[in-house]
Amino acid sequence: MTAAGAATGPSEDPSDGSSGGTEGRTEPAPPRRRDAARSRELLIQAALELFAERGFDRTTTREIGERAGVDPALIARYFGGKTQLYLATVRLELGAEPPADLLEEERLRTLLVRLTQRGPGPSFQAAVLPGDNTEVQQASRSYLYERMVHPLRDRFTAEQVDRPQLRAELAAAAFAGVILARSSGAFAELAAADPEELLPLLHDLLTASRPT
Amino acid sequence: MTAAGAATGPSEDPSDGSSGGTEGRTEPAPPRRRDAARSRELLIQAALELFAERGFDRTTTREIGERAGVDPALIARYFGGKTQLYLATVRLELGAEPPADLLEEERLRTLLVRLTQRGPGPSFQAAVLPGDNTEVQQASRSYLYERMVHPLRDRFTAEQVDRPQLRAELAAAAFAGVILARSSGAFAELAAADPEELLPLLHDLLTASRPT
DNA sequence: ATCCGATGACATCGGTTGATGACATCCCTC
DNA sequence: GAGGGATGTCATCAACCGATGTCATCGGAT
């Protein structure tokens, strides 16, 4: 994992011929050599990976700059500081996809695969880690809450299950625990398990948050 | 690393016949001014709380000393450093109770109540948080592993369930997620729920790690 | 009463981190 | 081609942390 190739590599090159990637949702990479937008993008991407790997505190701005191949001073210039950069990564996660209902198998698969590839976002750690109620924590948590708890609570409410909120929080917490444990390195077999293999087990587990 | 054993001269107990009551944790604040054993005890207690609240990194030796009412320098003297103090707290947790089988309702209740009162130990965070494989992480994880995963795996193996190890890790991860989420402050209703109220829900959830 | 080890408070060191400002370089506009 | 703003690089600062050395003080043994 982590490969992401990113690393340092000044690989990229103004070479205009580089285009061709249909995948890119954006315009073909502008050939500009000095590009603040690109620097910002690289910083966010590196920060997203590092925050997910080590958490907020244990990640240094120098590491982010190194992985992004960008001078750490630009973090202050473009975001205002390490904290604002973190918030930017959280907002990025947030805008990604519509709220997913964890009990729907197809959406659970999507989420699981995505989290396996890209690792859990910073918000997962914030949900589980105690800490002072800083702006950082608050933003991360509200993201995770709207993303996972609310859809579940709405489903339970519609099904007229008792304690829908509590059950939704329980399922979300269990899910977060599993996701984090997979990438923590503490549970070998859980980490090595293929998403397709893990899916039915996890689905059964989460379904049990709803009364039989 | 570093000094390690060097600093720790008087490894074990001066045992000057201090109050024999090992059980009674609530001393009436003995007016003794110089008592190494008591200082160690106070440091471990404060460290246990702080490590559980904020994790290893975000806890400073000065905070530990302040809460314990003891000079932070004594951490180095009595334990060899912050790391060894952490390991001491983990070992303290470890010796507490026999391995519990999370699927047995009575044991789950005991564990849940205990964790509700005293908060999750430092090891729970270590299980879920990524990090370099330092000695600290390793010790915490092996503790949690022997404590929660192995009993479950043995049960599943005895029941001839497929993938016993994977299922055991899954259940343990989910349980850790719920426990940590309760004390994280991110999930209000989950944190406010009474253990007796939460118990059946959690039991159903964990039971689902076993195939129907 | 005296001596000596045990204990704890204080000062400080080396290292790291986040942040900031000065300076150099590049690109676009005119 | 020159000017000016934008962009990137570098050096450095202040704050914090963990660790360690030093020294005053206490308490029991002699």
Side-chain angles (χ1 to χ4, degrees):
Chain A
M1 37 286 285
T2 71
T8 53
S11 53
E12 71 154 358
D13 189 44
S15 69
D16 29 319
S18 66
S19 67
T22 60
E23 189 268 343
R25 53 194 239 264
T26 61
E27 279 296 303
R32 308 176 51 177
R33 292 180 51 191
R34 296 171 80 88
D35 189 341
R38 172 153 191 84
S39 295
R40 281 226 293 269
E41 197 68 29
L42 289 172
L43 282 175
I44 286 188
Q45 183 59 33
L48 197 59
E49 296 172 11
L50 282 170
F51 285 146
E53 289 177 15
R54 314 191 193 185
F56 181 76
D57 297 309
R58 306 177 71 162
T59 300
T60 69
T61 56
R62 300 179 207 276
E63 287 174 317
I64 296 173
E66 187 177 2
R67 179 171 296 200
V70 169
D71 193 282
L74 299 184
I75 293 174
R77 180 190 291 272
Y78 291 131
F79 299 94
K82 184 185 174 186
T83 298
Q84 285 87 346
L85 174 58
Y86 183 87
L87 294 179
T89 65
V90 171
R91 280 188 229 103
L92 188 77
E93 282 188 314
L94 200 154
E97 300 168 8
D101 184 332
L102 290 180
L103 294 194
E104 197 127 359
E105 187 158 350
E106 205 40 59
R107 302 208 170 169
L108 181 61
R109 168 181 284 114
T110 302
L111 204 54
L112 188 59
V113 169
R114 172 171 168 267
L115 288 172
T116 297
Q117 291 175 342
R118 304 167 53 174
S123 2
F124 276 78
Q125 296 185 19
V128 149
L129 237 66
D132 32 8
N133 276 350
T134 66
E135 188 186 6
V136 175
Q137 294 259 345
Q138 290 288 1
S140 300
R141 288 174 175 179
S142 66
Y143 155 67
L144 206 66
Y145 218 79
E146 294 176 7
R147 189 80 188 290
M148 295 176 52
V149 176
H150 282 171
L152 267 180
R153 181 204 56 187
D154 293 344
R155 165 193 276 258
F156 289 151
T157 301
E159 293 178 351
Q160 295 189 334
V161 172
D162 68 314
R163 310 294 320 257
Q165 178 78 20
L166 179 60
R167 291 178 188 275
E169 290 186 1
L170 184 71
F175 181 71
V178 172
I179 292 301
L180 287 172
R182 284 197 79 196
S183 65
S184 74
F187 299 93
E189 213 160 304
L190 190 60
D194 189 83
E196 285 303 325
E197 186 178 31
L198 193 60
L199 185 62
L201 298 182
L202 190 53
H203 183 260
D204 287 351
L205 193 76
L206 295 178
T207 303
S209 65
R210 179 175 52 181
T212 59
Chain B
M1 39 283 292
T2 68
T8 68
S11 58
E12 205 53 30
D13 117 358
S15 78
D16 47 52
S18 67
S19 57
T22 59
E23 181 55 17
R25 40 196 293 179
T26 61
E27 283 287 316
R32 306 184 51 176
R33 295 182 49 193
R34 298 173 79 84
D35 188 341
R38 174 154 191 84
S39 294
R40 283 226 292 271
E41 197 67 27
L42 289 172
L43 282 175
I44 286 188
Q45 184 60 32
L48 197 59
E49 297 172 11
L50 283 169
F51 284 146
E53 289 176 14
R54 315 190 193 185
F56 181 77
D57 298 309
R58 307 177 71 162
T59 300
T60 69
T61 56
R62 302 178 208 277
E63 287 174 319
I64 296 173
E66 189 176 1
R67 179 172 296 202
V70 168
D71 193 282
L74 299 185
I75 292 174
R77 178 188 291 272
Y78 291 132
F79 300 93
K82 183 185 175 187
T83 299
Q84 285 87 345
L85 174 58
Y86 183 87
L87 295 179
T89 65
V90 172
R91 280 188 229 105
L92 190 76
E93 281 188 315
L94 199 154
E97 300 169 8
D101 183 334
L102 290 180
L103 293 193
E104 197 128 358
E105 186 157 349
E106 206 40 59
R107 302 206 171 168
L108 181 60
R109 168 180 286 115
T110 302
L111 205 54
L112 188 59
V113 169
R114 171 170 167 268
L115 289 173
T116 298
Q117 290 175 342
R118 302 167 56 174
S123 5
F124 276 79
Q125 295 185 19
V128 149
L129 241 65
D132 32 7
N133 276 348
T134 67
E135 187 186 8
V136 175
Q137 293 258 346
Q138 290 288 1
S140 300
R141 288 174 174 179
S142 66
Y143 155 67
L144 207 65
Y145 217 79
E146 294 176 8
R147 189 80 188 291
M148 295 176 52
V149 176
H150 282 172
L152 267 180
R153 181 203 57 188
D154 293 343
R155 166 192 275 258
F156 288 151
T157 301
E159 293 177 350
Q160 295 188 336
V161 172
D162 69 312
R163 309 294 321 256
Q165 178 80 19
L166 180 60
R167 291 179 187 274
E169 290 186 1
L170 185 72
F175 180 71
V178 172
I179 293 300
L180 286 172
R182 284 197 77 195
S183 65
S184 73
F187 299 93
E189 217 164 299
L190 190 60
D194 188 84
E196 285 303 326
E197 187 178 29
L198 193 59
L199 184 61
L201 298 182
L202 190 53
H203 182 260
D204 285 352
L205 193 77
L206 294 178
T207 303
S209 66
R210 179 175 51 183
T212 58

